[in-house]
Amino acid sequence: MKKIFIIFITVLLMLWPVAAFAHGVDINYQTKTAVEIVAKFDTGQPVSGAQVIVYAPDNPTEPWVTGKADENGRYIFTPDPSKPGTWDVQVRLAGHGGVVHVPVGGDNTAASGSTGYGTIQIVVMSACVIWGFIGTALYFGRRKS
Amino acid sequence: MHIPDGILPATVCLGGYATAGAATWYALRKINHQGNPREGIPRASLLTAAFLVASWIHIPIPPASVHLVLNGLLGAVLGYFAMPAILIGLFFQAVLFQHGGLTTLGVNATVMGVTALLAHQIFQLRKVLGASSRTALAVCGFLAGAGGIALAAAAVFTILFSTIPAHLDVQTERAGIYALTLAHVPLAVIEGIFTAMLVLFLQKVKPEVLED
């Protein structure tokens, strides 16, 4: 009887670790494309702590996700790949900000993009507009012959 | 100071267009009643160009950075021409620099244009205080320049404060609006001094510019 008891205890101890390691972990992975937003004022300063509102293509009125940009004006989100189209991302801080349209999915996906014009474009356009005002002033300010 | 697209609800944007349209109509009507409306166009054109460029001049006022607006100055020097001048200037600022937006053009024109007209009325007080007094001219010039910015900042504060969407962090947005509004107090002083200096200069070299 004592022998049977010892064998029973021995078998039980042998089974114990098996029970402990029976919790297997199944790890799966899939790659997803994230979108990084970097918001800066036109002075070059980052829009630190700006509120970011992301709208999915299928519902442009209800925010899909909201968050805050970091101190560098950076915010990253992962759009739902099952919702291809143009995702609208609004960045807002104290009534300042803007909206950027991010094409996601299909052949529309763009590697990068931004709002606004380049510096040279702005300078040339501004020079044209300012000359237009000066020309107007000269035209109406000319002396009658 | 320039409210961009996507910040305000559609009803406010439409209301802004209505008030801007009414203010522009009123200003043009007043201009038409002047002896020769074309006389004011060269001055208005040049100051519209100055207004356009002013938004490039940034003044760092920690923690924010603000830019010159010159709505009070335009009101003081241009009178009723300030309204169409600001409306045209804002249109080009929105298209060229993304300062403001096309949907909010009416709101921004109301905020800056109507306050410019009020600044013009403030500047007219110099006639009560003494038309020939350089002190009265400087004081009224300062009050017009500073008052234009202060009133516009108060208007923007009211509009933004009352239209914060529910899905935003309201406390954060309010704190930002407070900070931005306070940052315009030093700017009001700067523009007030600048306006006073300009009207004193104009009074010295070309006084007819300041006459209605």
Side-chain angles (χ1 to χ4, degrees):
Chain A
M1 185 69 192
K2 192 178 178 183
K3 208 172 187 178
I4 291 168
F5 181 74
I6 289 168
I7 290 167
F8 175 75
I9 293 296
T10 306
V11 170
L12 199 66
L13 286 170
M14 285 174 71
L15 286 172
W16 179 263
V18 175
F21 289 109
H23 294 284
V25 178
D26 184 25
I27 303 174
N28 297 301
Y29 76 91
Q30 61 179 150
T31 56
K32 285 189 176 181
T33 306
V35 176
E36 181 188 63
I37 301 294
V38 180
K40 290 181 180 178
F41 291 109
D42 46 16
T43 56
Q45 285 179 305
V47 190
S48 305
Q51 300 198 57
V52 183
I53 307 106
V54 180
Y55 296 93
D58 61 343
N59 191 355
T61 55
E62 287 294 317
W64 184 75
V65 69
T66 58
K68 278 190 183 179
D70 63 14
E71 67 276 7
N72 298 313
R74 191 184 311 274
Y75 179 78
I76 298 172
F77 74 98
T78 306
D80 187 344
S82 69
K83 296 180 179 180
T86 303
W87 290 65
D88 297 327
V89 184
Q90 185 188 41
V91 178
R92 173 173 174 151
L93 181 67
H96 285 69
V99 179
V100 67
H101 309 289
V102 184
V104 172
D107 299 329
N108 298 326
T109 307
S112 65
S114 67
T115 55
Y117 303 108
T119 307
I120 294 171
Q121 282 177 300
I122 290 172
V123 169
V124 171
M125 289 189 299
S126 302
C128 292
V129 170
I130 289 164
W131 176 244
F133 286 129
I134 292 168
T136 305
L138 291 171
Y139 175 77
F140 284 99
R142 74 195 189 286
R143 289 188 181 143
K144 291 175 185 173
S145 55
Chain B
M1 188 63 75
H2 295 66
I3 302 172
D5 289 328
I7 297 291
L8 299 177
T11 49
V12 177
C13 294
L14 288 170
Y17 269 105
T19 50
T24 306
W25 170 81
Y26 173 75
L28 292 175
R29 192 163 161 269
K30 285 284 188 182
I31 290 165
N32 269 328
H33 288 168
Q34 292 173 1
N36 183 7
R38 289 170 61 124
E39 266 183 15
I41 292 175
R43 202 177 7 154
S45 299
L46 292 175
L47 279 172
T48 305
F51 176 80
L52 183 83
V53 174
S55 67
W56 275 356
I57 301 167
H58 289 269
I59 299 165
I61 300 171
S65 170
V66 293
H67 59 79
L68 291 178
V69 180
L70 303 185
N71 63 324
L73 185 146
L74 262 69
V77 177
L78 294 181
Y80 290 106
F81 270 101
M83 187 69 213
I86 284 171
L87 183 62
I88 292 165
L90 283 172
F91 171 76
F92 282 110
Q93 283 178 343
V95 172
L96 299 180
F97 320 140
Q98 284 78 52
H99 286 178
L102 292 177
T103 60
T104 53
L105 180 62
V107 173
N108 288 327
T110 302
V111 162
M112 292 183 221
V114 172
T115 52
L117 297 179
L118 291 171
H120 170 62
Q121 297 302 327
I122 293 169
F123 191 60
Q124 294 306 302
L125 290 174
R126 75 189 190 282
K127 294 174 180 176
V128 177
L129 299 171
S132 59
S133 167
R134 285 176 62 81
T135 306
L137 185 71
V139 168
C140 290
F142 175 84
L143 290 176
I149 283 282
L151 290 167
V156 169
F157 174 86
T158 306
I159 292 166
L160 291 176
F161 211 79
S162 58
T163 57
I164 300 172
H167 60 256
L168 285 184
D169 182 343
V170 176
Q171 290 306 317
T172 302
E173 187 67 6
R174 281 183 177 175
I177 294 167
Y178 277 126
L180 187 78
T181 307
L182 287 173
H184 282 84
V185 174
L187 182 70
V189 174
I190 291 166
E191 288 207 17
I193 292 167
F194 183 60
T195 306
M197 288 167 65
L198 182 76
V199 295
L200 284 171
F201 173 75
L202 289 173
Q203 180 70 16
K204 195 172 182 179
V205 299
K206 207 168 183 181
E208 63 270 19
V209 168
L210 299 177
E211 291 168 10
D212 292 329

